[in-house]
Amino acid sequence: MKSFLVATDFSPSSKAAALYAAKLAKAIGGELTLLHAYLLPTPVSEVPYVMVSVEELQKDNEKMTRELAESLFEQSGVTVKTMVNIGLPADEVTFQAKEIGADIIVVGMRGESGALDKLIGSTTAAIIRKSHIPVLVIPEKTEFSPVLKLTYATDFSYTMSTRCLSTLQSLMHDSPDATINVVNIQRPGEILSAEQIAGKVRLEPMLEEMKHEYFTIEDTTVEGGIEHFLAQHPSQVLVMVAHKHSWWERLFSGSHTREMAYRSDIPLLVLQDKD
């Protein structure tokens, strides 16, 4: 995990995410590219207003992006490349991530408190759905710290790919005593199916070189079970895997996982295993 693409809209939450990414890149020897994507303003009524030229918008956005990059360098020591493009943010982020060969996308998230937050949440959700590389969602006010405890939530219905595993290993690179908590959320009274048991058996040899523990939590909802577990077992990162036709996809098609991103006060790492 050497190339980070950080999406920013210059909000406090996206700036905090950029600083987190810069410090993480510094810790593991990665490089960072800062991307700002914006849309051209369109009139919403017949009331006359002063139209700003595309050139002026581009220059202003480039200036703000450079200033943020300079601030990140001063705070982390990481040299930051910049990109400013016109386009839908989610589409531009996932496209440019592929173009530059990024290993991970980093985005900010702030707690839901109004229509603007819901829009930002939708953009983050769209990036997660469209991306084929890991997406790291950083809640506002999160400060970087080495990963000593990582919570991986799974229903054991699939086998984690080696590329997903390598991302976890990169996160824990500088923490030889780091531990992965593998958490399965079951509804009260449910037991693991034969498929889930087989998935757990397949997972074990993949984690054998990393310290890990298994936990089963009973709760009526996945997000509730995760919250209760994290309250008792503090972690630096929460991890889930997105893959085609998965438990994650069923959750993500509704509001559960987006709600988890809003409610989580630690970074949420979404590993992509869709191909």
Side-chain angles (χ1 to χ4, degrees):
M1 191 166 65
K2 295 297 183 183
S3 177
F4 292 68
L5 178 65
V6 182
T8 184
D9 60 3
F10 309 119
S11 65
S13 59
S14 70
K15 288 181 179 179
L19 180 57
Y20 185 103
K23 291 184 176 180
L24 177 58
K26 179 70 172 181
I28 65 177
E31 58 182 27
L32 192 149
T33 299
L34 193 62
L35 169 64
H36 175 62
Y38 67 98
L39 296 173
L40 297 177
T42 56
V44 295
S45 71
E46 295 181 358
V47 178
Y49 71 101
V50 178
M51 173 65 79
V52 179
S53 71
V54 175
E55 291 77 12
E56 288 177 303
L57 279 174
Q58 182 72 17
K59 288 181 179 178
D60 286 345
N61 284 312
E62 288 177 351
K63 180 176 182 292
M64 289 188 290
T65 306
R66 285 196 306 271
E67 290 173 348
L68 179 54
E70 291 167 1
S71 175
L72 294 175
F73 174 73
E74 291 173 0
Q75 296 178 80
S76 69
V78 171
T79 300
V80 182
K81 300 176 183 178
T82 61
M83 301 175 67
V84 177
N85 297 326
I86 299 173
L88 290 170
D91 291 342
E92 194 64 24
V93 168
T94 51
F95 174 77
Q96 294 299 338
K98 183 176 181 180
E99 285 293 294
I100 70 172
D103 298 310
I104 189 168
I105 295 169
V106 183
V107 294
M109 172 67 76
R110 58 176 176 248
E112 183 176 5
S113 61
L116 180 58
D117 289 321
K118 290 180 180 179
L119 177 61
I120 293 172
S122 297
T123 299
T124 299
I127 290 172
I128 292 172
R129 285 197 306 270
K130 295 178 180 183
S131 178
H132 286 267
I133 63 174
V135 178
L136 183 60
V137 182
I138 309 296
E140 192 174 11
K141 300 181 181 179
T142 301
E143 295 186 1
F144 174 76
S145 62
V147 178
L148 300 177
K149 288 284 186 179
L150 183 152
T151 292
Y152 168 42
T154 177
D155 68 347
F156 299 121
S157 64
Y158 55 90
T159 302
M160 182 188 291
S161 68
T162 53
R163 67 177 179 178
C164 288
L165 184 64
S166 66
T167 300
L168 298 185
Q169 291 171 330
S170 295
L171 270 181
M172 304 167 74
H173 178 263
D174 289 334
S175 305
D177 294 326
T179 300
I180 298 177
N181 293 330
V182 182
V183 182
N184 173 243
I185 312 298
Q186 295 277 30
R187 290 187 176 89
E190 284 189 346
I191 60 174
L192 290 178
S193 66
E195 178 187 11
Q196 289 174 306
I197 293 173
K200 184 177 180 180
V201 170
R202 290 192 298 268
L203 178 62
E204 178 57 28
M206 300 188 72
L207 300 179
E208 63 181 356
E209 295 183 2
M210 308 168 74
K211 294 182 180 179
H212 62 282
E213 296 183 67
Y214 292 96
F215 298 85
T216 298
I217 304 296
E218 288 194 349
D219 202 286
T220 55
T221 66
V222 171
E223 64 269 22
I226 292 172
E227 276 194 325
H228 294 154
F229 178 82
L230 291 175
Q232 298 175 6
H233 303 82
S235 303
Q236 282 75 51
V237 178
L238 169 64
V239 180
M240 292 182 174
V241 176
H243 57 101
K244 193 174 181 180
H245 305 309
S246 70
W247 164 72
W248 166 277
E249 291 294 328
R250 293 195 298 273
L251 285 175
F252 207 69
S253 64
S255 62
H256 298 285
T257 304
R258 185 179 301 176
E259 182 178 351
M260 190 69 242
Y262 281 128
R263 289 161 59 174
S264 177
D265 59 0
I266 63 173
L268 170 64
L269 174 63
V270 183
L271 300 176
Q272 305 290 347
D273 199 13
K274 299 172 185 174
D275 296 336

